Short mmCIF file of all heavy atoms in Angstrom, two decimals:
data_model
loop_
_atom_site.label_atom_id
_atom_site.label_comp_id
_atom_site.label_asym_id
_atom_site.label_seq_id
_atom_site.Cartn_x
_atom_site.Cartn_y
_atom_site.Cartn_z
N ASP X 986 11.07 15.73 -18.79
CA ASP X 986 11.01 14.43 -19.47
C ASP X 986 9.57 14.00 -19.71
O ASP X 986 9.23 13.46 -20.76
CB ASP X 986 11.74 13.37 -18.64
CG ASP X 986 13.24 13.62 -18.59
OD1 ASP X 986 13.75 14.25 -19.53
OD2 ASP X 986 13.89 13.18 -17.62
N LEU X 987 8.71 14.22 -18.71
CA LEU X 987 7.31 13.85 -18.85
C LEU X 987 6.63 14.66 -19.95
O LEU X 987 5.89 14.11 -20.77
CB LEU X 987 6.58 14.07 -17.52
CG LEU X 987 5.07 13.77 -17.52
CD1 LEU X 987 4.82 12.30 -17.86
CD2 LEU X 987 4.45 14.13 -16.18
N VAL X 988 6.90 15.95 -19.98
CA VAL X 988 6.31 16.81 -21.02
C VAL X 988 6.77 16.36 -22.40
O VAL X 988 5.98 16.31 -23.35
CB VAL X 988 6.68 18.28 -20.77
CG1 VAL X 988 6.26 19.15 -21.96
CG2 VAL X 988 6.03 18.79 -19.49
N GLU X 989 8.06 16.02 -22.51
CA GLU X 989 8.59 15.57 -23.80
C GLU X 989 7.90 14.29 -24.26
O GLU X 989 7.56 14.14 -25.43
CB GLU X 989 10.09 15.33 -23.67
CG GLU X 989 10.75 14.92 -24.99
CD GLU X 989 12.24 14.69 -24.83
OE1 GLU X 989 12.75 14.83 -23.70
OE2 GLU X 989 12.89 14.35 -25.84
N ILE X 990 7.68 13.37 -23.32
CA ILE X 990 7.01 12.11 -23.65
C ILE X 990 5.57 12.36 -24.10
O ILE X 990 5.09 11.79 -25.10
CB ILE X 990 7.04 11.15 -22.45
CG1 ILE X 990 8.47 10.70 -22.17
CG2 ILE X 990 6.14 9.94 -22.67
CD1 ILE X 990 8.64 9.93 -20.88
N VAL X 991 4.85 13.20 -23.35
CA VAL X 991 3.45 13.49 -23.69
C VAL X 991 3.34 14.17 -25.05
O VAL X 991 2.49 13.82 -25.87
CB VAL X 991 2.81 14.37 -22.59
CG1 VAL X 991 1.43 14.84 -23.03
CG2 VAL X 991 2.72 13.60 -21.28
N VAL X 992 4.21 15.16 -25.29
CA VAL X 992 4.17 15.87 -26.58
C VAL X 992 4.47 14.92 -27.72
O VAL X 992 3.81 14.94 -28.77
CB VAL X 992 5.17 17.04 -26.57
CG1 VAL X 992 5.32 17.64 -27.96
CG2 VAL X 992 4.72 18.11 -25.58
N LEU X 993 5.48 14.06 -27.55
CA LEU X 993 5.82 13.11 -28.60
C LEU X 993 4.67 12.14 -28.86
O LEU X 993 4.34 11.83 -30.01
CB LEU X 993 7.08 12.34 -28.22
CG LEU X 993 7.53 11.26 -29.22
CD1 LEU X 993 7.87 11.90 -30.56
CD2 LEU X 993 8.72 10.49 -28.68
N SER X 994 4.04 11.67 -27.78
CA SER X 994 2.91 10.75 -27.93
C SER X 994 1.77 11.39 -28.69
O SER X 994 1.15 10.77 -29.56
CB SER X 994 2.43 10.28 -26.56
OG SER X 994 3.44 9.58 -25.87
N LEU X 995 1.48 12.66 -28.36
CA LEU X 995 0.41 13.36 -29.06
C LEU X 995 0.75 13.58 -30.52
O LEU X 995 -0.11 13.44 -31.40
CB LEU X 995 0.13 14.70 -28.37
CG LEU X 995 -0.58 14.63 -27.02
CD1 LEU X 995 -0.68 16.02 -26.41
CD2 LEU X 995 -1.97 14.02 -27.18
N LYS X 996 1.99 13.94 -30.81
CA LYS X 996 2.40 14.14 -32.20
C LYS X 996 2.23 12.85 -33.00
O LYS X 996 1.71 12.87 -34.13
CB LYS X 996 3.85 14.60 -32.25
CG LYS X 996 4.08 16.04 -31.84
CD LYS X 996 5.54 16.42 -31.98
CE LYS X 996 5.78 17.88 -31.61
NZ LYS X 996 7.22 18.24 -31.71
N ILE X 997 2.66 11.74 -32.42
CA ILE X 997 2.57 10.47 -33.12
C ILE X 997 1.11 10.08 -33.35
O ILE X 997 0.71 9.71 -34.46
CB ILE X 997 3.29 9.37 -32.33
CG1 ILE X 997 4.81 9.61 -32.37
CG2 ILE X 997 2.96 7.99 -32.88
CD1 ILE X 997 5.61 8.67 -31.49
N SER X 998 0.29 10.18 -32.30
CA SER X 998 -1.11 9.78 -32.41
C SER X 998 -1.88 10.67 -33.38
O SER X 998 -2.64 10.18 -34.21
CB SER X 998 -1.78 9.81 -31.03
OG SER X 998 -1.17 8.87 -30.16
N LEU X 999 -1.68 11.99 -33.27
CA LEU X 999 -2.39 12.90 -34.16
C LEU X 999 -1.95 12.73 -35.61
O LEU X 999 -2.78 12.79 -36.52
CB LEU X 999 -2.17 14.35 -33.70
CG LEU X 999 -2.83 14.74 -32.38
CD1 LEU X 999 -2.42 16.15 -31.96
CD2 LEU X 999 -4.35 14.63 -32.48
N SER X 1000 -0.67 12.51 -35.83
CA SER X 1000 -0.19 12.28 -37.19
C SER X 1000 -0.79 11.00 -37.77
O SER X 1000 -1.21 10.98 -38.93
CB SER X 1000 1.34 12.19 -37.20
OG SER X 1000 1.94 13.39 -36.76
N ALA X 1001 -0.82 9.95 -36.95
CA ALA X 1001 -1.40 8.69 -37.42
C ALA X 1001 -2.87 8.84 -37.75
O ALA X 1001 -3.35 8.32 -38.77
CB ALA X 1001 -1.19 7.60 -36.36
N VAL X 1002 -3.61 9.54 -36.89
CA VAL X 1002 -5.05 9.73 -37.12
C VAL X 1002 -5.28 10.58 -38.36
O VAL X 1002 -6.20 10.32 -39.15
CB VAL X 1002 -5.71 10.36 -35.89
CG1 VAL X 1002 -7.15 10.75 -36.19
CG2 VAL X 1002 -5.67 9.39 -34.71
N LEU X 1003 -4.47 11.62 -38.57
CA LEU X 1003 -4.62 12.47 -39.75
C LEU X 1003 -4.40 11.67 -41.03
O LEU X 1003 -5.21 11.74 -41.97
CB LEU X 1003 -3.63 13.63 -39.69
CG LEU X 1003 -3.61 14.57 -40.91
CD1 LEU X 1003 -4.97 15.22 -41.11
CD2 LEU X 1003 -2.52 15.63 -40.75
N ILE X 1004 -3.33 10.89 -41.06
CA ILE X 1004 -3.06 10.07 -42.24
C ILE X 1004 -4.16 9.05 -42.45
O ILE X 1004 -4.64 8.84 -43.58
CB ILE X 1004 -1.69 9.38 -42.09
CG1 ILE X 1004 -0.56 10.41 -42.08
CG2 ILE X 1004 -1.47 8.36 -43.21
CD1 ILE X 1004 0.79 9.84 -41.75
N ALA X 1005 -4.58 8.40 -41.36
CA ALA X 1005 -5.63 7.38 -41.46
C ALA X 1005 -6.94 7.99 -41.94
O ALA X 1005 -7.68 7.38 -42.73
CB ALA X 1005 -5.82 6.70 -40.11
N THR X 1006 -7.26 9.20 -41.48
CA THR X 1006 -8.50 9.86 -41.89
C THR X 1006 -8.50 10.17 -43.38
O THR X 1006 -9.51 9.97 -44.07
CB THR X 1006 -8.69 11.16 -41.09
OG1 THR X 1006 -8.75 10.85 -39.69
CG2 THR X 1006 -9.97 11.87 -41.50
N LEU X 1007 -7.37 10.64 -43.89
CA LEU X 1007 -7.28 10.96 -45.31
C LEU X 1007 -7.44 9.72 -46.18
O LEU X 1007 -7.90 9.82 -47.33
CB LEU X 1007 -5.93 11.63 -45.60
CG LEU X 1007 -5.71 13.00 -44.97
CD1 LEU X 1007 -4.30 13.51 -45.26
CD2 LEU X 1007 -6.75 14.00 -45.46
N VAL X 1008 -7.09 8.57 -45.65
CA VAL X 1008 -7.24 7.32 -46.40
C VAL X 1008 -8.61 6.69 -46.16
O VAL X 1008 -9.27 6.22 -47.10
CB VAL X 1008 -6.12 6.32 -46.00
CG1 VAL X 1008 -6.35 4.96 -46.67
CG2 VAL X 1008 -4.75 6.87 -46.37
N ALA X 1009 -9.05 6.70 -44.91
CA ALA X 1009 -10.23 5.93 -44.53
C ALA X 1009 -11.54 6.58 -44.97
O ALA X 1009 -12.47 5.86 -45.37
CB ALA X 1009 -10.25 5.74 -43.01
N LEU X 1010 -11.65 7.90 -44.91
CA LEU X 1010 -12.92 8.53 -45.30
C LEU X 1010 -13.25 8.31 -46.77
O LEU X 1010 -14.38 7.91 -47.10
CB LEU X 1010 -12.89 10.02 -44.96
CG LEU X 1010 -12.96 10.38 -43.47
CD1 LEU X 1010 -13.03 11.89 -43.28
CD2 LEU X 1010 -14.16 9.72 -42.80
N PRO X 1011 -12.32 8.54 -47.70
CA PRO X 1011 -12.65 8.21 -49.10
C PRO X 1011 -12.92 6.73 -49.31
O PRO X 1011 -13.79 6.37 -50.10
CB PRO X 1011 -11.39 8.65 -49.86
CG PRO X 1011 -10.74 9.67 -48.99
CD PRO X 1011 -11.01 9.22 -47.59
N LEU X 1012 -12.19 5.88 -48.59
CA LEU X 1012 -12.41 4.44 -48.72
C LEU X 1012 -13.80 4.05 -48.23
O LEU X 1012 -14.54 3.32 -48.92
CB LEU X 1012 -11.34 3.68 -47.93
CG LEU X 1012 -11.48 2.15 -47.87
CD1 LEU X 1012 -11.42 1.55 -49.26
CD2 LEU X 1012 -10.40 1.56 -46.97
N GLY X 1013 -14.17 4.52 -47.06
CA GLY X 1013 -15.50 4.23 -46.53
C GLY X 1013 -16.60 4.79 -47.40
O GLY X 1013 -17.64 4.15 -47.60
N ALA X 1014 -16.38 5.99 -47.95
CA ALA X 1014 -17.38 6.61 -48.83
C ALA X 1014 -17.54 5.82 -50.11
O ALA X 1014 -18.67 5.61 -50.60
CB ALA X 1014 -16.98 8.05 -49.13
N ALA X 1015 -16.44 5.35 -50.67
CA ALA X 1015 -16.50 4.58 -51.91
C ALA X 1015 -17.27 3.28 -51.71
O ALA X 1015 -18.10 2.89 -52.54
CB ALA X 1015 -15.09 4.29 -52.42
N VAL X 1016 -17.00 2.60 -50.60
CA VAL X 1016 -17.70 1.34 -50.33
C VAL X 1016 -19.19 1.60 -50.06
O VAL X 1016 -20.05 0.79 -50.43
CB VAL X 1016 -17.06 0.62 -49.13
CG1 VAL X 1016 -17.85 -0.63 -48.75
CG2 VAL X 1016 -15.62 0.25 -49.45
N ALA X 1017 -19.49 2.75 -49.46
CA ALA X 1017 -20.89 3.05 -49.14
C ALA X 1017 -21.69 3.43 -50.38
O ALA X 1017 -22.88 3.08 -50.49
CB ALA X 1017 -20.93 4.19 -48.12
N VAL X 1018 -21.07 4.12 -51.33
CA VAL X 1018 -21.81 4.69 -52.45
C VAL X 1018 -21.83 3.79 -53.67
O VAL X 1018 -22.88 3.61 -54.32
CB VAL X 1018 -21.21 6.07 -52.80
CG1 VAL X 1018 -21.79 6.59 -54.11
CG2 VAL X 1018 -21.46 7.06 -51.67
N PHE X 1019 -20.68 3.23 -54.02
CA PHE X 1019 -20.59 2.46 -55.26
C PHE X 1019 -21.09 1.03 -55.05
O PHE X 1019 -20.90 0.45 -53.98
CB PHE X 1019 -19.15 2.44 -55.77
CG PHE X 1019 -18.66 3.80 -56.20
CD1 PHE X 1019 -17.73 4.48 -55.43
CD2 PHE X 1019 -19.12 4.38 -57.36
CE1 PHE X 1019 -17.27 5.73 -55.81
CE2 PHE X 1019 -18.67 5.63 -57.76
CZ PHE X 1019 -17.75 6.31 -56.98
N ARG X 1020 -21.68 0.48 -56.07
CA ARG X 1020 -22.14 -0.90 -56.07
C ARG X 1020 -21.25 -1.70 -57.01
O ARG X 1020 -21.19 -1.40 -58.19
CB ARG X 1020 -23.61 -0.99 -56.52
CG ARG X 1020 -24.57 -0.20 -55.63
CD ARG X 1020 -24.64 -0.78 -54.24
NE ARG X 1020 -25.60 -0.08 -53.38
CZ ARG X 1020 -25.28 0.91 -52.57
NH1 ARG X 1020 -24.02 1.33 -52.51
NH2 ARG X 1020 -26.19 1.48 -51.82
N PHE X 1021 -20.57 -2.70 -56.50
CA PHE X 1021 -19.62 -3.47 -57.30
C PHE X 1021 -19.57 -4.89 -56.75
O PHE X 1021 -19.91 -5.13 -55.58
CB PHE X 1021 -18.23 -2.83 -57.24
CG PHE X 1021 -17.72 -2.59 -55.85
CD1 PHE X 1021 -17.00 -3.56 -55.18
CD2 PHE X 1021 -17.97 -1.38 -55.20
CE1 PHE X 1021 -16.54 -3.35 -53.89
CE2 PHE X 1021 -17.51 -1.16 -53.92
CZ PHE X 1021 -16.79 -2.15 -53.27
N PRO X 1022 -19.14 -5.84 -57.57
CA PRO X 1022 -19.03 -7.22 -57.09
C PRO X 1022 -18.03 -7.31 -55.94
O PRO X 1022 -16.94 -6.75 -55.99
CB PRO X 1022 -18.51 -7.98 -58.33
CG PRO X 1022 -18.90 -7.14 -59.49
CD PRO X 1022 -18.83 -5.72 -59.02
N GLY X 1023 -18.43 -8.02 -54.91
CA GLY X 1023 -17.56 -8.16 -53.75
C GLY X 1023 -17.71 -7.06 -52.72
O GLY X 1023 -16.94 -7.00 -51.75
N ARG X 1024 -18.70 -6.18 -52.92
CA ARG X 1024 -18.89 -5.08 -51.97
C ARG X 1024 -19.22 -5.61 -50.58
O ARG X 1024 -18.71 -5.10 -49.57
CB ARG X 1024 -20.02 -4.16 -52.46
CG ARG X 1024 -20.35 -3.02 -51.49
CD ARG X 1024 -21.41 -2.10 -52.08
NE ARG X 1024 -21.78 -1.06 -51.14
CZ ARG X 1024 -22.74 -1.19 -50.22
NH1 ARG X 1024 -23.44 -2.33 -50.15
NH2 ARG X 1024 -23.02 -0.20 -49.38
N GLY X 1025 -20.06 -6.63 -50.52
CA GLY X 1025 -20.41 -7.22 -49.22
C GLY X 1025 -19.19 -7.78 -48.51
O GLY X 1025 -19.03 -7.63 -47.30
N ALA X 1026 -18.31 -8.41 -49.30
CA ALA X 1026 -17.08 -8.96 -48.71
C ALA X 1026 -16.19 -7.85 -48.18
O ALA X 1026 -15.56 -7.99 -47.13
CB ALA X 1026 -16.33 -9.81 -49.73
N CYS X 1027 -16.13 -6.73 -48.91
CA CYS X 1027 -15.32 -5.59 -48.46
C CYS X 1027 -15.84 -5.05 -47.13
O CYS X 1027 -15.05 -4.72 -46.23
CB CYS X 1027 -15.34 -4.48 -49.50
SG CYS X 1027 -14.37 -4.84 -50.99
N ILE X 1028 -17.16 -4.98 -47.00
CA ILE X 1028 -17.75 -4.49 -45.75
C ILE X 1028 -17.41 -5.43 -44.60
O ILE X 1028 -17.06 -5.00 -43.49
CB ILE X 1028 -19.27 -4.32 -45.90
CG1 ILE X 1028 -19.58 -3.22 -46.93
CG2 ILE X 1028 -19.91 -3.99 -44.56
CD1 ILE X 1028 -21.05 -3.06 -47.23
N VAL X 1029 -17.51 -6.72 -44.86
CA VAL X 1029 -17.19 -7.71 -43.83
C VAL X 1029 -15.72 -7.59 -43.42
O VAL X 1029 -15.38 -7.64 -42.22
CB VAL X 1029 -17.50 -9.13 -44.33
CG1 VAL X 1029 -16.96 -10.18 -43.35
CG2 VAL X 1029 -19.00 -9.32 -44.52
N VAL X 1030 -14.84 -7.43 -44.39
CA VAL X 1030 -13.40 -7.31 -44.10
C VAL X 1030 -13.12 -6.07 -43.28
O VAL X 1030 -12.36 -6.11 -42.30
CB VAL X 1030 -12.58 -7.31 -45.41
CG1 VAL X 1030 -11.13 -6.95 -45.12
CG2 VAL X 1030 -12.66 -8.66 -46.09
N LEU X 1031 -13.72 -4.93 -43.67
CA LEU X 1031 -13.52 -3.70 -42.91
C LEU X 1031 -13.98 -3.85 -41.47
O LEU X 1031 -13.29 -3.43 -40.53
CB LEU X 1031 -14.25 -2.53 -43.58
CG LEU X 1031 -13.63 -1.94 -44.84
CD1 LEU X 1031 -14.53 -0.83 -45.39
CD2 LEU X 1031 -12.25 -1.38 -44.54
N ASN X 1032 -15.14 -4.45 -41.29
CA ASN X 1032 -15.66 -4.64 -39.93
C ASN X 1032 -14.76 -5.59 -39.13
O ASN X 1032 -14.53 -5.38 -37.94
CB ASN X 1032 -17.08 -5.18 -39.97
CG ASN X 1032 -18.07 -4.14 -40.48
OD1 ASN X 1032 -17.86 -2.94 -40.33
ND2 ASN X 1032 -19.15 -4.60 -41.10
N ALA X 1033 -14.26 -6.63 -39.79
CA ALA X 1033 -13.39 -7.58 -39.10
C ALA X 1033 -12.06 -6.94 -38.71
O ALA X 1033 -11.52 -7.22 -37.63
CB ALA X 1033 -13.14 -8.80 -39.99
N LEU X 1034 -11.54 -6.07 -39.58
CA LEU X 1034 -10.25 -5.43 -39.30
C LEU X 1034 -10.32 -4.40 -38.19
O LEU X 1034 -9.28 -3.92 -37.72
CB LEU X 1034 -9.70 -4.78 -40.57
CG LEU X 1034 -9.24 -5.76 -41.67
CD1 LEU X 1034 -8.74 -4.98 -42.89
CD2 LEU X 1034 -8.15 -6.69 -41.16
N MET X 1035 -11.53 -4.04 -37.76
CA MET X 1035 -11.65 -3.14 -36.61
C MET X 1035 -11.05 -3.77 -35.37
O MET X 1035 -10.59 -3.06 -34.47
CB MET X 1035 -13.13 -2.78 -36.37
CG MET X 1035 -13.74 -1.92 -37.43
SD MET X 1035 -15.49 -1.57 -37.11
CE MET X 1035 -15.36 -0.50 -35.67
N GLY X 1036 -11.04 -5.09 -35.33
CA GLY X 1036 -10.45 -5.80 -34.19
C GLY X 1036 -9.07 -6.34 -34.52
O GLY X 1036 -8.65 -7.35 -33.94
N LEU X 1037 -8.38 -5.70 -35.44
CA LEU X 1037 -7.05 -6.16 -35.86
C LEU X 1037 -6.11 -6.20 -34.66
O LEU X 1037 -5.95 -5.20 -33.96
CB LEU X 1037 -6.49 -5.20 -36.91
CG LEU X 1037 -5.23 -5.63 -37.65
CD1 LEU X 1037 -5.48 -6.88 -38.48
CD2 LEU X 1037 -4.75 -4.50 -38.55
N PRO X 1038 -5.48 -7.34 -34.39
CA PRO X 1038 -4.59 -7.45 -33.22
C PRO X 1038 -3.37 -6.55 -33.37
O PRO X 1038 -2.67 -6.61 -34.39
CB PRO X 1038 -4.18 -8.94 -33.22
CG PRO X 1038 -5.20 -9.63 -34.07
CD PRO X 1038 -5.61 -8.63 -35.10
N PRO X 1039 -3.08 -5.72 -32.38
CA PRO X 1039 -1.88 -4.88 -32.45
C PRO X 1039 -0.60 -5.69 -32.61
O PRO X 1039 0.35 -5.24 -33.25
CB PRO X 1039 -1.90 -4.13 -31.11
CG PRO X 1039 -3.33 -4.12 -30.70
CD PRO X 1039 -3.89 -5.43 -31.19
N VAL X 1040 -0.57 -6.90 -32.04
CA VAL X 1040 0.61 -7.75 -32.16
C VAL X 1040 0.87 -8.08 -33.63
O VAL X 1040 2.01 -8.04 -34.10
CB VAL X 1040 0.45 -9.04 -31.33
CG1 VAL X 1040 1.61 -9.99 -31.61
CG2 VAL X 1040 0.38 -8.71 -29.86
N ALA X 1041 -0.19 -8.41 -34.36
CA ALA X 1041 -0.03 -8.75 -35.77
C ALA X 1041 0.46 -7.55 -36.57
O ALA X 1041 1.31 -7.68 -37.45
CB ALA X 1041 -1.36 -9.26 -36.33
N VAL X 1042 -0.09 -6.37 -36.27
CA VAL X 1042 0.35 -5.16 -36.98
C VAL X 1042 1.80 -4.84 -36.66
O VAL X 1042 2.59 -4.49 -37.54
CB VAL X 1042 -0.56 -3.97 -36.60
CG1 VAL X 1042 -0.05 -2.69 -37.24
CG2 VAL X 1042 -1.98 -4.23 -37.04
N GLY X 1043 2.16 -4.97 -35.38
CA GLY X 1043 3.54 -4.72 -35.00
C GLY X 1043 4.51 -5.63 -35.72
O GLY X 1043 5.56 -5.19 -36.20
N LEU X 1044 4.16 -6.91 -35.81
CA LEU X 1044 5.02 -7.86 -36.51
C LEU X 1044 5.11 -7.53 -38.00
O LEU X 1044 6.20 -7.58 -38.59
CB LEU X 1044 4.48 -9.28 -36.32
CG LEU X 1044 5.26 -10.40 -37.02
CD1 LEU X 1044 6.70 -10.43 -36.53
CD2 LEU X 1044 4.57 -11.75 -36.80
N LEU X 1045 3.99 -7.17 -38.60
CA LEU X 1045 3.98 -6.82 -40.02
C LEU X 1045 4.87 -5.61 -40.31
O LEU X 1045 5.68 -5.63 -41.24
CB LEU X 1045 2.55 -6.54 -40.48
CG LEU X 1045 2.38 -6.03 -41.91
CD1 LEU X 1045 2.87 -7.08 -42.91
CD2 LEU X 1045 0.93 -5.67 -42.19
N ILE X 1046 4.71 -4.56 -39.49
CA ILE X 1046 5.51 -3.36 -39.69
C ILE X 1046 6.99 -3.65 -39.45
O ILE X 1046 7.86 -3.14 -40.16
CB ILE X 1046 5.03 -2.23 -38.77
CG1 ILE X 1046 3.56 -1.90 -39.08
CG2 ILE X 1046 5.89 -0.98 -38.94
CD1 ILE X 1046 3.32 -1.47 -40.50
N TYR X 1047 7.26 -4.48 -38.47
CA TYR X 1047 8.66 -4.84 -38.20
C TYR X 1047 9.28 -5.55 -39.41
O TYR X 1047 10.41 -5.26 -39.81
CB TYR X 1047 8.74 -5.74 -36.97
CG TYR X 1047 10.15 -6.21 -36.68
CD1 TYR X 1047 11.05 -5.40 -36.00
CD2 TYR X 1047 10.58 -7.46 -37.11
CE1 TYR X 1047 12.34 -5.81 -35.75
CE2 TYR X 1047 11.88 -7.88 -36.86
CZ TYR X 1047 12.75 -7.06 -36.18
OH TYR X 1047 14.03 -7.48 -35.95
N LEU X 1048 8.55 -6.49 -39.99
CA LEU X 1048 9.05 -7.22 -41.15
C LEU X 1048 9.25 -6.30 -42.34
O LEU X 1048 10.21 -6.46 -43.12
CB LEU X 1048 8.10 -8.36 -41.51
CG LEU X 1048 7.99 -9.50 -40.48
CD1 LEU X 1048 6.93 -10.50 -40.91
CD2 LEU X 1048 9.33 -10.18 -40.28
N LEU X 1049 8.37 -5.33 -42.49
CA LEU X 1049 8.48 -4.40 -43.62
C LEU X 1049 9.66 -3.43 -43.45
O LEU X 1049 10.34 -3.09 -44.44
CB LEU X 1049 7.19 -3.60 -43.78
CG LEU X 1049 5.96 -4.37 -44.29
CD1 LEU X 1049 4.74 -3.46 -44.27
CD2 LEU X 1049 6.21 -4.90 -45.70
N LEU X 1050 9.89 -2.99 -42.22
CA LEU X 1050 10.89 -1.95 -41.98
C LEU X 1050 12.24 -2.48 -41.53
O LEU X 1050 13.19 -1.70 -41.42
CB LEU X 1050 10.36 -0.96 -40.93
CG LEU X 1050 9.06 -0.23 -41.27
CD1 LEU X 1050 8.70 0.73 -40.16
CD2 LEU X 1050 9.18 0.49 -42.60
#
Side-chain angles (χ1 to χ4, degrees):
D986 292 334
L987 178 62
V988 171
E989 183 180 1
I990 292 171
V991 172
V992 170
L993 178 62
S994 299
L995 287 175
K996 285 182 179 179
I997 290 174
S998 297
L999 291 174
S1000 298
V1002 172
L1003 177 60
I1004 294 172
T1006 300
L1007 294 176
V1008 174
L1010 288 184
L1012 175 61
V1016 175
V1018 170
F1019 294 107
R1020 300 295 182 266
F1021 53 89
R1024 177 176 177 272
C1027 287
I1028 295 175
V1029 171
V1030 170
L1031 284 178
N1032 290 332
L1034 291 179
M1035 291 179 69
L1037 190 64
V1040 173
V1042 175
L1044 179 59
L1045 174 63
I1046 300 301
Y1047 177 82
L1048 293 175
L1049 289 175
L1050 301 182

